[in-house]
């Protein structure tokens, strides 16, 4: 033990203005929403309204954080996950974002869902300098660090997805005629742009397109018009309800086009079953996560672990619903960012860590899919693989494809 002389010497050094630090005494930095014992995370989901089938994502994320808390939290802090319903309504999303930031004083908002809702809160979040992290949308606008440095997506953006489909069509069906059914909002426009950009000098293959509003009770007239166009390739870029209606109507018409379905509407439980599995057979889409309905992964350790998690923390959740895998993986990525933050839980450091993810992968991502970000690259995932529905489950085919906005390459 140090004697009196050593203690006096140490005090003399401090008095002389020399700062002595040790790792054990590293300073803790907190913004609102963070303390020694807790991190408050905000979330906005459509638990009601026309996109309510996505609500399971928020429930699976809440379940993940319950599991993390049971394991002692992250760096010794429990996660307080506060999730509100916006009914897929932009004005309601603004109201909930203000409540989370100004009343609940969350550290950040994580995984707010939907292109319209996130578009509505983006300026507010950036003005407040509060992270709008891992947005639950593939909107390309959510990867714009120059204009919106506090907003970042996670999943492959819609333009990348459109480019991937375009590459496949150019390589395999260069003489086909394409009809496109799209959601009349930024998401639908983004997807459509990616397809057109990817087709390039073959864009004239698109001979018809019809849009719809998420609130439309029926989309039958649009599908009939697209059927009558004479197209032999059909795209459905719609939320789960609209996609289920489109699949059913195409089937009822006896139309047999090559059918491409948006990645966000591939849930067997909430889209394909309601539409009719027979009608869904041979539909093509993209994926970057392991699908719990694909027999390929039945004995995969990560999927087995996820099923055990569902049994314990979300027993009412449907294991055939891929949105429950999606929510789990998003929460894993959020946990990784918080781990990297250590005791520096400022909003600025949250964004610093989110923009410094290097070859991060969770066990539920497909082999070869990696998360990479930088201060200039706000698109964490830009790789996907094509899959085809066999009438019971999705089956992967082809290679992992990168559909980066601005250029194309496969690997």
């Amino acid at each position: 033990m140090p004697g009196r002389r050593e203690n006096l010497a140490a005090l003399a050094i401090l008095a002389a203005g020399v700062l002595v630090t040790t790792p054990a005494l590293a300073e803790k930095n907190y913004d609102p929403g963070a303390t020694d014992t807790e991190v408050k995370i905000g979330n906005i989901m459509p638990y009601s309204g026309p996109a309510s089938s996505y609500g399971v994502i928020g429930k699976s994320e809440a379940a993940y954080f319950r599991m993390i808390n049971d394991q002692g939290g992250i760096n010794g802090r429990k996660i307080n996950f506060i999730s509100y319903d916006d009914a897929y309504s932009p004005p309601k999303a603004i109201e909930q974002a203000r409540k989370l930031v100004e009343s609940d004083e969350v550290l950040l908002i994580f995984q707010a869902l939907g292109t319209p809702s996130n578009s509505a809160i983006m300026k507010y979040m950036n003005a407040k300098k509060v992270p709008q992290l891992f947005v639950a949308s593939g909107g390309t606008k959510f990867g714009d660090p120059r204009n919106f440095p506090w907003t970042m997506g996670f999943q492959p953006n819609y333009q990348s997805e459109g480019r991937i489909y375009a590459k496949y069509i150019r390589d395999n069906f260069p003489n086909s005629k394409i009809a496109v059914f799209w959601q009349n909002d930024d998401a639908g426009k983004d997807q459509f742009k990616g397809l057109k950009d990817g087709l390039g000098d073959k864009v004239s293959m698109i001979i018809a397109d019809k849009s719809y509003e998420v609130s439309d009770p029926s989309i039958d007239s649009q599908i009939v018009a697209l059927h009558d166009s004479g197209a032999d390739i059909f795209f459905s870029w719609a939320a789960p309800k609209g996609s289920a209606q489109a699949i059913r109507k195409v089937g009822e018409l006896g139309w047999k086009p090559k059918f491409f379905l948006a990645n966000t509407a591939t849930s067997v439980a909430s889209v394909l079953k309601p539409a009719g599995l027979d009608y869904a057979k041979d539909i093509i889409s993209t994926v970057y996560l392991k699908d719990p309905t694909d027999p390929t992964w039945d004995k995969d350790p990560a999927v087995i672990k996820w099923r055990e998690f569902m049994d314990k923390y979300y027993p009412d959740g449907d294991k055939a619903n891929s949105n429950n895998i999606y929510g789990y993986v998003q929460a894993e990525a959020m946990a990784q960012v918080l781990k990297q933050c250590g005791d520096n839980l400022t909003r600025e450091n949250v964004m610093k860590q989110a923009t410094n993810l290097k070859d991060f992968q969770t066990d539920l991502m497909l082999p070869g899919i990696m998360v990479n970000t930088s201060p200039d690259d706000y698109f964490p995932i830009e790789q996907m693989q094509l899959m085809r529905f066999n009438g019971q489950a999705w089956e992967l085919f082809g290679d992992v494809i990168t559909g980066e906005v601005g250029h194309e390459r496969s690997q």
Side-chain angles (χ1 to χ4, degrees):
M1 291 182 64
R4 183 169 178 272
R5 183 172 296 175
E6 287 87 346
N7 284 336
L8 287 172
L11 288 171
I13 291 170
L14 289 172
V18 179
L19 180 63
V20 179
T21 62
T22 67
L25 298 175
E27 187 179 355
K28 295 177 180 178
N29 291 316
Y30 295 143
D31 270 348
T35 68
D36 282 350
T37 59
E38 179 185 72
V39 177
K40 276 195 230 178
I41 295 177
N43 173 256
I44 303 169
M45 278 281 151
Y47 292 111
S48 62
S52 59
S53 65
Y54 285 131
V56 300
I57 294 170
K59 293 177 181 178
S60 63
E61 288 164 354
Y64 181 89
F65 291 125
R66 284 197 299 274
M67 177 184 72
I68 288 294
N69 288 342
D70 282 354
Q71 295 169 357
I74 299 173
N75 297 331
R77 297 176 183 87
K78 299 295 179 72
I79 304 301
N80 182 357
F81 183 68
I82 305 169
S83 184
Y84 292 138
D85 180 21
D86 73 345
Y88 208 66
S89 161
K92 186 70 172 176
I94 293 172
E95 179 186 325
Q96 302 293 37
R98 287 183 179 276
K99 184 178 177 184
L100 286 165
V101 172
E102 296 170 24
S103 298
D104 297 310
E105 294 191 317
V106 297
L107 180 64
L108 63 118
I109 290 181
F110 157 72
Q111 267 277 287
L113 189 136
T115 303
S117 292
N118 280 287
S119 298
I121 70 173
M122 187 160 59
K123 286 183 180 177
Y124 169 78
M125 297 297 290
N126 281 265
K128 287 288 187 180
K129 297 184 177 181
V130 177
Q132 180 185 4
L133 196 56
F134 298 156
V135 166
S137 161
T140 310
K141 63 163 63 177
F142 304 124
D144 182 6
R146 179 175 296 179
N147 295 306
F148 297 99
W150 297 89
T151 301
M152 177 187 276
F154 186 82
Q155 67 206 59
N157 68 76
Y158 296 138
Q159 287 189 34
S160 291
E161 184 182 0
R163 286 171 171 275
I164 286 169
Y165 294 132
K167 182 181 188 307
Y168 178 71
I169 289 169
R170 285 182 63 117
D171 289 349
N172 294 278
F173 312 110
N175 300 312
S176 287
K177 297 176 181 178
I178 302 169
V180 182
F181 174 63
W182 56 281
Q183 195 166 298
N184 187 24
D185 60 18
D186 286 342
K189 292 170 186 175
D190 229 14
Q191 292 163 325
F192 203 177
K193 182 181 188 304
L195 176 66
K196 288 187 282 192
D197 288 351
L199 287 172
D201 59 4
K202 291 276 193 180
V203 72
S204 60
M205 292 173 69
I206 301 172
I207 62 167
D209 72 273
K210 292 289 179 183
S211 67
Y212 88 109
E213 303 296 332
V214 176
S215 57
D216 286 353
S218 171
I219 47 86
D220 286 1
S221 62
Q222 290 98 316
I223 304 304
V224 169
L226 293 171
H227 164 267
D228 292 346
S229 72
D232 57 353
I233 288 179
F234 174 75
F235 272 90
S236 174
W237 271 320
K241 180 183 174 185
S243 286
Q245 290 175 323
I247 294 167
R248 177 168 287 279
K249 190 60 183 177
V250 166
E252 288 173 349
L253 290 171
W255 188 16
K256 300 287 187 184
K258 298 173 189 73
F259 196 135
F260 292 83
L261 180 66
N263 163 266
T264 53
T266 56
S267 168
V268 174
S270 62
V271 178
L272 304 190
K273 280 185 179 176
L277 294 180
D278 288 346
Y279 291 152
K281 192 173 186 298
D282 294 326
I283 286 177
I284 291 172
S285 190
T286 52
V287 68
Y288 59 99
L289 303 175
K290 294 172 181 175
D291 190 307
T293 69
D294 185 342
T296 303
W297 310 116
D298 275 351
K299 295 182 180 178
D300 181 77
V303 174
I304 291 170
K305 179 182 173 184
W306 172 78
R307 289 192 179 115
E308 291 169 351
F309 152 82
M310 290 289 289
D311 287 339
K312 183 172 181 180
Y313 289 98
Y314 188 15
D316 297 336
D318 187 348
K319 295 191 193 73
N321 191 337
S322 55
N323 283 323
N324 287 319
I325 287 263
Y326 172 90
Y328 185 98
V329 168
Q330 305 294 317
E332 279 189 294
M334 183 69 252
Q336 176 65 25
V337 170
L338 292 176
K339 283 174 191 171
Q340 290 180 199
C341 284
D343 290 332
N344 185 6
L345 285 165
T346 62
R347 289 162 172 165
E348 185 177 355
N349 194 42
V350 166
M351 291 308 301
K352 181 181 178 182
Q353 299 309 321
T355 57
N356 280 281
L357 293 169
K358 305 300 181 190
D359 289 335
F360 171 69
Q361 185 185 47
T362 83
D363 291 338
L364 287 170
M365 291 179 186
L366 292 179
I369 306 282
M370 296 285 185
V371 174
N372 281 287
T373 60
S374 75
D376 298 318
D377 181 1
Y378 273 36
F379 295 122
I381 300 178
E382 294 181 274
Q383 302 158 301
M384 304 181 91
Q385 190 167 356
L386 291 167
M387 62 180 181
R388 184 182 286 107
F389 191 67
N390 66 13
Q392 295 297 323
W394 290 101
E395 294 178 339
L396 297 169
F397 69 95
D399 298 323
V400 169
I401 302 172
T402 299
E404 293 181 9
V405 175
H407 55 279
E408 297 173 11
R409 71 177 189 269
S410 62
Q411 59 181 42

